[in-house]
Amino acid sequence: MDKLINTTSSSAHALTKRESKFSWQQIKKTLGKAYAFFYGNPPAIIGGLLLSIVLAGAIFAPVLATHNPEKRVARPHQPPSAEHYLGTTRSGRDVYSQVLYGARKSLSVAISAGVIAMSLAVIVGVSSGYFGGKIDDRLNFLTNVFLVFPQLPLLIVLAAFLGQVGSLVITILLGVTSWPWGARVIRAQTMAIRSKEFIISAEVMGESKIRIILVEILPNLVSIVFGGFLGTVIYAMGSEAGLGILGLGDATEVSWGSMLYWAQTSSSLYTGAWWEMLVPAMALAITGGALALINMSIDQVSNPKLRTGPHIKLWHQLKKEADKRRGLR
């Protein structure tokens, strides 16, 4: 009996050891991929650093904020000081605390809208590109209908019709109206992949269509989907701020758009309180620029024609040496 217990415990110990070794190998592999992505890729490094700062400010806003962003804490339009790092608004609220909490609201709206839009784009684009026939015709017609209507004017009309809308409604509106461009790109790429040998082999072997889409096609669309997601997030963030400036959003919520709305309403630039307008505008510009740099870095990694970094430098060096040898001959 003791021998059986010892054998069982040793087997469990060996299994645990193998599992821990496997998990460590997975972590090491993931870190290696992340290092390979950032190494020799300046846009990824700069964009990742800026985006990390913005996300850290949004996540740790309750810890970093010095005042309640929704309450009056000082005199109106007080300039930046040791007590109020970025000054105060016309209503006496702390701008530094507002920009931290505003990042939470603006980024949550933009990211959620990006997830909705790219989910619809993947479903429509892959289905249209892979199945073809009547499905392609109907989905392509639906995509063209959405493409006919200009997105921002349509959003303004819908938001004005619904009245002063909250962040949830803005998220849904942005997500539902932002998918057609991504669907067109994914459809074209899916049609190109559909004729590849490994897809034909999977079909001949009797693989189900769902498995072919999930296992064979979607992994080859990761860079396109992620790039489209970042582009949609940038667009959604700008659109949310634009609706906020026009007063079509919920002005009682603390977001970068509502901050710009109140700064415009109080004529902060004309009264000399430039910080009330400049701070949320700079936050939008920095976040949008960081996302654009990351999107650019993805293109440079996934597209061989745009590839940069040490590997391309090595290629140029080898090409230069080969040209010299040809000249000597």
Side-chain angles (χ1 to χ4, degrees):
M1 188 69 180
D2 294 337
K3 185 178 180 180
L4 179 60
I5 294 174
N6 293 332
T7 304
T8 304
S9 61
S10 61
S11 300
H13 179 71
L15 181 60
T16 305
K17 188 175 181 181
R18 283 197 299 269
E19 289 179 351
S20 62
K21 185 178 180 181
F22 178 75
S23 61
W24 170 246
Q25 289 177 350
Q26 288 293 106
I27 295 173
K28 190 175 180 181
K29 186 177 180 180
T30 303
L31 292 175
K33 288 182 179 179
Y35 177 78
F37 175 74
F38 285 100
Y39 180 64
N41 197 345
I45 297 173
I46 298 172
L49 178 62
L50 292 176
L51 187 61
S52 298
I53 294 173
V54 174
L55 290 176
I59 293 171
F60 299 105
V63 178
L64 298 175
T66 55
H67 299 84
N68 189 329
E70 299 179 353
K71 291 185 178 179
R72 181 173 180 172
V73 294
R75 292 182 291 105
H77 281 171
Q78 187 173 341
S81 61
E83 184 179 357
H84 304 285
Y85 303 140
L86 298 176
T88 61
T89 65
R90 186 178 180 179
S91 58
R93 298 176 180 178
D94 185 64
V95 175
Y96 169 72
S97 301
Q98 281 198 327
V99 79
L100 291 176
Y101 277 91
R104 285 186 153 193
K105 185 65 67 176
S106 296
L107 289 177
S108 63
V109 169
I111 293 173
S112 301
V115 170
I116 295 172
M118 289 313 299
S119 298
L120 292 174
V122 169
I123 293 171
V124 174
V126 173
S127 300
S128 179
Y130 179 70
F131 292 108
K134 292 183 179 180
I135 295 178
D136 183 27
D137 294 337
R138 291 168 183 172
L139 292 178
N140 200 25
F141 174 76
L142 179 64
T143 304
N144 291 333
V145 169
F146 273 86
L147 286 173
V148 167
F149 297 100
Q151 294 181 14
L152 190 56
L154 179 62
L155 284 172
I156 293 173
V157 172
L158 291 174
F161 175 76
L162 295 172
Q164 216 173 33
V165 295
S167 57
L168 178 61
V169 178
I170 292 177
T171 301
I172 296 173
L173 289 176
L174 289 171
V176 171
T177 58
S178 303
W179 61 267
W181 290 106
R184 292 297 293 269
V185 176
I186 293 172
R187 172 182 176 269
Q189 190 65 20
T190 303
M191 293 178 68
I193 296 175
R194 185 181 61 181
S195 59
K196 298 293 184 181
E197 291 80 1
F198 63 92
I199 299 294
I200 298 174
S201 300
E203 291 175 344
V204 170
M205 292 174 64
E207 298 289 348
S208 64
K209 295 184 181 298
I210 298 298
R211 188 183 186 282
I212 291 174
I213 291 174
L214 295 177
V215 178
E216 304 292 346
I217 294 178
L218 284 181
N220 291 284
L221 299 175
V222 170
S223 60
I224 294 176
V225 171
F226 194 67
F229 168 74
L230 291 179
T232 306
V233 169
I234 296 172
Y235 168 77
M237 187 170 57
S239 299
E240 187 270 338
L243 293 175
I245 293 174
L246 295 174
L248 299 175
D250 189 355
T252 61
E253 295 180 343
V254 180
S255 67
W256 291 340
S258 64
M259 290 178 68
L260 291 172
Y261 169 75
W262 288 115
Q264 182 186 29
T265 303
S266 63
S267 302
S268 60
L269 291 178
Y270 296 103
T271 57
W274 49 266
W275 54 86
E276 187 178 0
M277 176 71 76
L278 185 63
V279 170
M282 287 296 296
L284 282 168
I286 291 173
T287 307
L291 292 170
L293 287 173
I294 295 175
N295 201 354
M296 185 190 307
S297 66
I298 292 173
D299 288 338
Q300 291 179 352
V301 171
S302 61
N303 190 345
K305 295 181 179 179
L306 301 176
R307 197 165 287 171
T308 59
H311 40 277
I312 200 67
K313 294 179 181 179
L314 177 60
W315 182 85
H316 282 302
Q317 183 180 357
L318 294 174
K319 184 177 180 298
K320 189 175 181 181
E321 292 176 358
D323 292 338
K324 284 182 179 180
R325 287 197 298 269
R326 291 192 192 98
L328 291 175
R329 290 176 184 174

